[in-house]
Amino acid sequence: MRRIFGIFLQLVGWLAGLWCALVGGSFCLVYLMGFVGTGGREAGGELAVMFGLTLFGALAGYLLARWGRYLSAPRTELAA
């Protein structure tokens, strides 16, 4: 059961991290266009917040996948 749960967490973690990177990166590019187009007068705050949230979401997905990898690894017993 632990192995199945670990594989599930890996799948969810990688998909969530990729989704956050794709969607958040797209929004970052839209805000960057507004920031560059106005010479830095608009969308600077929104760009910083969205970039931070994108990094946080991608990192959270990565850490979830690592936790799933830890759980799905086979356990070795020490010989007595």
Side-chain angles (χ1 to χ4, degrees), residues 5 16 27 77:
F5 185 65
F27 275 104
E77 300 283 332

Side-chain angles (χ1 to χ4, degrees), residues 61-79:
Y62 173 73
L63 291 176
L64 189 64
R66 289 290 306 258
W67 186 36
R69 183 177 178 189
Y70 170 75
L71 289 178
S72 68
R75 295 285 158 202
T76 57
E77 300 283 332
L78 293 176

Side-chain angles (χ1 to χ4, degrees), residues 22-67:
L22 181 69
V23 173
S26 298
F27 275 104
C28 285
L29 289 176
V30 169
Y31 287 134
L32 183 63
M33 286 184 345
F35 184 73
V36 171
T38 60
R41 290 186 305 272
E42 291 182 16
E46 291 89 353
L47 175 62
V49 168
M50 184 55 70
F51 186 70
L53 290 174
T54 300
L55 286 179
F56 176 75
L59 180 65
Y62 173 73
L63 291 176
L64 189 64
R66 289 290 306 258
W67 186 36

Side-chain angles (χ1 to χ4, degrees), residues 7-30:
I7 292 170
F8 176 73
L9 282 181
Q10 284 184 22
L11 181 66
V12 169
W14 285 120
L15 289 177
L18 289 174
W19 183 83
C20 285
L22 181 69
V23 173
S26 298
F27 275 104
C28 285
L29 289 176
V30 169

